[in-house]
Amino acid sequence: MTVLLAGLRNLAYWQPRNLGALLGITIAIASLVALVGLARGVQETLLSALENRGTDVMVTEAGVLDLISSIVPETLAPDLAVAPGVVAVAPELARLTTLADGRSVAVVAWPAGSFPWESLTLTEGRLPGADEGPGSGEGHVVVLGESLARRMQAGIGDRITLFHAPFEVVGLVTSPALLSRSAAYARLEDVQALTFREGQATSFNIQTAPGRAEAAAKAIGARFPDLSVETSAALADGYLFGRIANILAFAISSVALVSSVLVIFNTMSTAVNARRGEIAILSAVGWDRWRIVAMLLIEGSVISMIAGAAGIVAGTLMAQAVAGLPQVVGFVQPVIGAGLLATAFAVSVGVGLLGAFVPAVRAVRRPPADILRGH
Amino acid sequence: MSAAPAITARGLRRYFADGQVRALDGVDIDVPAGASVAITGASGSGKTTLLYALAGLLGLDAGRVDIAGTRPHSPADWAALRRDRIGLVFQDAWLLPALTARQNVEIAIQGPRLSVAARRARAEALLRRVNAEGFAARRPAQLSGGERQRVAVARGLANRPEILLADEPTGELDHANSQHIADLLFDLRRSEGLTLLIVTHEGALARRCALQFVMHDGRGGFEARGAAR
């Protein structure tokens, strides 16, 4: 009987044992794919939101942990606008509020007609006008990111409640950034009034002439040493939460990888160790060591490949399911690329083979009598 | 019987438990080609350990074994001898549970020039030889003790060995099956010209062998008996 046939027959026969190994490796690979995919998703979501703001320089309060905690006076806008290279300045007030269903939503407010609105792509309806809102005798208006609109099942003309006040949905927008697609956008003066922050902003978005961002940031920083002034690129790189997300993604990926390796190795080793009796018999009937090892590797590779593929599918579904949970939806989209899938499959097959190889070599090196007689 | 020894072993020593258990304590044995030898002795006297040592299944602390004038030096040498010249039958058959009776025999048939069909035909012929063709397609779990042992004998003969080593081949069987397996082994010895070594504690089986090698506390020697049968 050939090595290949013997291996395949064993696989077909030892279904419960092989199913156990298959399940163990599938779970390990699924966890690896889901955890790394979600961790990378958090990282990507955050950085993508910063990089897609259409802003060249950001000005915030110095020393704050996150952008929403920052407070800067709106009255600084004219002084910022005269800095060299600056084309336009737009104050921004970003707040988190709670929807009727208890979920959190980010509300970003800019002056109507200011340039940050251009970072959004209108898919339906319109953007808020400068001459509407409570000041003109009308109600508040809001534009919803398409993910948020879908989540709220809201469309043009619907009324939603933000900051305990009614808002009419006048437009739907999209953006490459998930966080932007999951936010609501309103006029600055409306949100300032509703959150008791008249005259305040959380940041200034500054648009510069091409290639002048760094020079403008340097000039503004020199004039306003108490403010944090950074180009968007530098902000994305150095943003504390971004750095935390990077560290978190690395830590989770490392832990997921190491635990997967250990689980797969242990699962496969257990499966091979359970067959020491068969190994001893094959040796007793004259199979040489490497023929026996080859048979076990064939079995191990088939199990690892099937489990690896199943784990990838399960992990992708798990990550999507987690991203769709009410507490998470709109804040993270798993990033599961070809690199991660190839890594997961390679880990499954590579560690699976190693997990079969090490105990197989150990078993064939033992004199068969030790196993046959139970020594 | 040929004058050339099938097995020559000198100074076989194997201790367990840091030397407290002396399973083999300097055993010498010469087995003439074509002889039938019963290895007897009390439980724990070292019978099975000796058989395993003669098959190269056991790591020795000292000593050497020559098989038909060939001295194996490595596990690969021993594997080649078990593949080509030595057949083994174990007390509890030790069949592979995933394989049918025929496949259990087939797995021991080796040789690069043999086609799958040739291996299969030889396995079927061997099963017929031991009256086991009727359950060739059954797995070990579906066989009785006697049936399993017959398959194990067929597997032991898979590569037309010159030497058949059997460890308590009837130990787990009832009287009728025990008699049947014993008849089969001696019939095969005659027809195939095998050198037969049987570890047994059954007097009747031992008496059917031409020679009796008695083990006692890891030491052993031939007991003077009648001519070889």
Side-chain angles (χ1 to χ4, degrees):
Chain A
M1 184 178 295
T2 64
V3 174
L4 180 65
L5 266 179
L8 295 179
R9 278 183 179 140
N10 280 330
L11 280 172
Y13 180 76
W14 292 115
Q15 285 169 3
R17 187 191 292 168
N18 291 333
L19 273 179
L22 206 71
L23 198 64
I25 297 174
T26 299
I27 291 170
I29 292 298
S31 305
L32 175 68
V33 170
L35 285 173
V36 176
L38 285 167
R40 285 184 182 170
V42 169
Q43 186 184 22
E44 286 285 316
T45 302
L46 202 58
L47 294 181
S48 169
L50 286 171
E51 287 164 0
N52 286 285
R53 296 172 71 97
T55 299
D56 299 314
V57 175
M58 287 277 289
V59 176
T60 58
E61 179 186 349
V64 292
L65 283 175
D66 64 280
L67 297 178
I68 288 179
S69 304
S70 163
I71 297 176
V72 286
E74 191 185 349
T75 50
L76 283 179
D79 295 328
L80 297 173
V82 298
V86 172
V87 173
V89 176
E92 171 180 307
L93 182 61
R95 309 299 303 159
L96 280 177
T97 188
T98 307
L99 297 172
D101 63 5
R103 300 178 203 173
S104 296
V105 63
V107 179
V108 180
W110 299 303
S114 62
F115 76 88
W117 290 99
E118 295 165 11
S119 67
L120 303 172
T121 304
L122 196 64
T123 57
E124 206 178 331
R126 62 178 178 80
L127 298 177
D131 56 348
E132 60 184 332
S136 62
E138 298 171 16
H140 301 295
V141 294
V142 68
V143 167
L144 300 182
E146 61 176 4
S147 300
L148 177 63
R150 200 163 42 244
R151 206 173 98 199
M152 296 176 72
Q153 296 181 314
I156 304 296
D158 288 345
R159 289 190 173 275
I160 63 170
T161 301
L162 297 171
F163 309 113
H164 302 288
F167 278 73
E168 183 190 347
V169 179
V170 296
L172 301 180
V173 293
T174 189
S175 160
L178 174 66
L179 279 180
S180 301
R181 293 198 300 276
S182 304
Y185 302 89
R187 289 159 20 98
L188 180 67
E189 46 270 50
D190 293 355
V191 177
Q192 283 176 327
L194 289 168
T195 60
F196 311 105
R197 280 170 173 74
E198 282 92 350
Q200 292 180 356
T202 47
S203 63
F204 285 100
N205 297 294
I206 297 176
Q207 198 174 37
T208 65
R212 301 292 303 276
E214 284 191 22
K218 200 170 174 183
I220 295 168
R223 184 166 173 200
F224 300 99
D226 296 335
L227 295 178
S228 169
V229 184
E230 289 187 278
T231 62
S232 291
L235 187 69
D237 286 343
Y239 184 42
L240 180 63
F241 280 11
R243 291 209 303 267
I244 290 172
N246 281 336
I247 292 165
L248 204 62
F250 177 77
I252 290 173
S253 303
S254 303
V255 170
L257 185 66
V258 169
S259 58
S260 302
V261 166
L262 292 177
V263 168
I264 294 168
F265 191 88
N266 187 49
T267 303
M268 198 55 88
S269 299
T270 304
V272 172
N273 277 329
R275 300 181 51 198
R276 284 179 304 167
E278 292 170 58
I279 293 167
I281 282 297
L282 289 171
S283 180
V285 300
W287 280 43
D288 69 47
R289 291 175 171 186
W290 295 111
R291 197 166 177 225
I292 298 170
V293 170
M295 184 191 78
L296 294 167
L297 288 182
I298 286 169
E299 294 177 36
S301 63
V302 171
I303 290 175
S304 302
M305 281 193 277
I306 294 172
I312 283 171
V313 172
T316 306
L317 293 175
M318 270 167 59
Q320 297 291 352
V322 169
L325 290 174
Q327 299 88 336
V328 181
V329 69
F331 288 95
V332 61
Q333 183 63 38
V335 176
I336 300 174
L340 175 57
L341 298 185
T343 303
F345 194 72
V347 166
S348 178
V349 176
V351 179
L353 284 177
L354 194 67
F357 181 77
V358 172
V361 167
R362 210 180 288 152
V364 297
R365 279 188 175 160
R366 282 186 72 180
D370 287 1
I371 299 166
L372 296 173
R373 303 193 70 186
H375 285 298
Chain B
M1 190 187 303
S2 161
I7 302 173
T8 303
R10 290 287 176 272
L12 303 184
R13 204 171 72 212
R14 179 70 163 111
Y15 295 166
F16 294 106
D18 295 328
Q20 292 176 43
V21 178
R22 301 186 168 198
L24 296 178
D25 195 13
V27 175
D28 299 332
I29 183 171
D30 292 297
V31 179
S36 60
V37 178
I39 301 173
T40 61
S43 291
S45 60
K47 305 186 295 292
T48 296
T49 307
L50 174 60
L51 192 85
Y52 284 177
L54 298 179
L57 299 175
L58 185 76
L60 287 168
D61 297 326
R64 60 178 172 80
V65 179
D66 292 342
I67 303 293
T70 302
R71 182 168 303 170
H73 294 287
S74 65
D77 292 344
W78 273 114
L81 281 173
R82 289 194 297 270
R83 186 187 65 216
D84 300 331
R85 309 181 88 157
I86 301 172
L88 283 157
V89 180
F90 298 96
Q91 180 176 4
D92 47 7
W94 271 106
L95 300 180
L96 299 185
L99 306 181
T100 64
R102 179 177 57 73
Q103 289 163 349
N104 262 287
V105 178
E106 217 179 304
I107 205 159
I109 300 171
Q110 295 168 76
R113 288 183 213 93
L114 283 175
S115 67
V116 172
R119 285 170 209 256
R120 183 179 179 138
R122 173 145 178 77
E124 285 169 350
L126 284 165
L127 287 172
R128 273 197 301 279
R129 182 75 184 83
V130 299
N131 296 320
E133 71 272 27
F135 40 85
R138 289 195 221 149
R139 288 212 165 90
Q142 299 167 303
L143 302 177
S144 69
E147 289 169 339
R148 277 199 294 272
Q149 204 57 291
R150 273 191 268 169
V151 176
V153 171
R155 185 182 63 189
L157 299 171
N159 289 311
R160 298 185 177 88
E162 299 154 27
I163 301 164
L164 187 65
L165 307 178
D167 180 20
E168 303 271 15
T170 59
E172 300 273 304
L173 305 178
D174 58 33
H175 179 71
N177 270 312
S178 176
Q179 190 70 29
H180 190 90
I181 292 295
D183 289 345
L184 180 63
L185 289 173
F186 283 95
D187 183 33
L188 286 167
R189 189 190 77 80
R190 272 191 298 274
S191 61
E192 312 286 330
L194 290 171
T195 301
L196 180 63
L197 270 79
I198 304 176
V199 167
T200 185
H201 60 269
E202 292 179 33
L205 181 59
R207 281 191 294 277
R208 294 183 67 170
C209 294
L211 301 167
Q212 198 171 146
F213 192 84
V214 183
M215 290 293 294
H216 181 72
D217 288 342
R219 293 173 174 271
F222 280 107
E223 187 178 76
R225 294 277 307 275
R229 278 166 273 182

